[in-house]
Amino acid sequence: CKPVAADYGLLKTIDVPVTAVCGDQSAAWFANGRPRATSAHINIGSGAFVLAGLTAARAPDGLLTSIAFSDTDSCEYLVEGTVNGAGSALQWLQSVRDMPAVDTHLNDWLQQTGNPPLFLNTIGGLGSPWWRHDVEPCFVPAMDKHSDAELAVAVIESMLFLLQYNIDQILLQQTLLDLRLSGGLSRVPLVCQKLANLSELPVYRSVDPEASARGIAWLAAGQPQQWLTEATEGERFQPQTDPGLKARYRLFVETLSERLEATA
């Protein structure tokens, strides 16, 4: 075993030294250099996760503890919340509904759809803090009562609701003042805005969505202080009042809890 920062030797086909090795979530944490202690990082790809620096003795119940960085002298830890169904949930919807690719329509659909149904997003199983694989995904009301746009928006909101539930668990033991967002779905402006509205925290969208590649490069380079400091903030989405979204979130949590109890 070696720490994150260590001499791992050279790449086999070319003499390039490997000086840092870690998982993609931990790498994404350092996408813009060292984050502030009051920031959380969210990446939304096929799955999604939320990371924050661990400031307590342990992570909240049901969330994960992982190593952010280590060398021969020190070790830093993260608290991690995991959502399995993000981009993969949209792919599932396209398959079961026989829909065309939704990417080019998402922002318009999010703008136009004011009261979507709920989607109990268990694609790939429920991640933290439930860790359940025995609940089938479903729309409430049923799928056949809604348009493609309404269903797609319900899936997007379900991702945000699951992320927000994990954020709520982190907030029980530490302070968060802003969220950093990266990944493919962060390219959709209204995904960013809805997350800001739901969390009531400013959301900064990364200039470069490839957060993991940037983060491991920074660690491998020895954590240089001048790491593109002008790009650390990205585009800012300020929270706006959205009572409908907040009400759907509360109903989502209640409905999911009832479904989990019924299948326990």
Side-chain angles (χ1 to χ4, degrees), residues 14-182:
I14 188 171
D15 288 344
V16 173
V18 178
T19 57
V21 173
C22 69
D24 58 348
Q25 291 97 328
S26 300
W29 175 248
F30 295 108
N32 292 308
R34 183 164 299 281
R36 290 193 285 263
T38 53
S39 293
H41 178 81
I42 294 173
N43 191 80
I44 308 180
S46 295
F49 57 82
V50 53
L51 301 173
L54 183 63
T55 61
R58 52 170 292 176
D61 288 344
L63 274 66
L64 304 176
T65 301
S66 58
I67 292 175
F69 174 78
S70 59
D71 57 20
T72 55
D73 300 317
S74 63
C75 188
E76 303 169 23
Y77 293 93
L78 294 170
V79 54
E80 177 182 337
T82 302
V83 173
N84 294 329
S88 59
L90 283 174
Q91 293 171 0
W92 171 87
L93 176 63
Q94 289 175 202
S95 174
V96 299
R97 183 77 171 191
D98 195 22
M99 294 167 58
V102 300
D103 300 19
T104 57
H105 303 291
L106 273 179
N107 205 64
D108 289 339
W109 286 350
L110 287 164
Q111 181 71 49
Q112 298 161 6
T113 305
N115 190 29
L118 295 178
F119 177 54
L120 299 188
N121 185 351
T122 61
I123 301 300
L126 273 175
S128 59
W130 302 279
W131 305 112
R132 295 275 296 269
H133 290 80
D134 56 345
V135 181
E136 291 295 320
C138 68
F139 289 90
V140 182
M143 178 186 293
D144 59 5
K145 298 182 182 296
H146 302 284
S147 67
D148 288 353
E150 290 171 327
L151 296 175
V153 171
V155 171
I156 290 292
E157 288 194 351
S158 73
M159 304 173 199
L160 301 181
F161 294 160
L162 292 171
L163 285 167
Q164 183 60 45
Y165 195 87
N166 281 276
I167 291 170
D168 288 341
Q169 307 314 301
I170 295 172
L171 286 169
L172 292 175
Q173 68 178 34
Q174 62 193 79
T175 299
L176 296 177
L177 298 181
D178 58 68
L179 305 176
R180 310 285 158 155
L181 188 61
S182 64

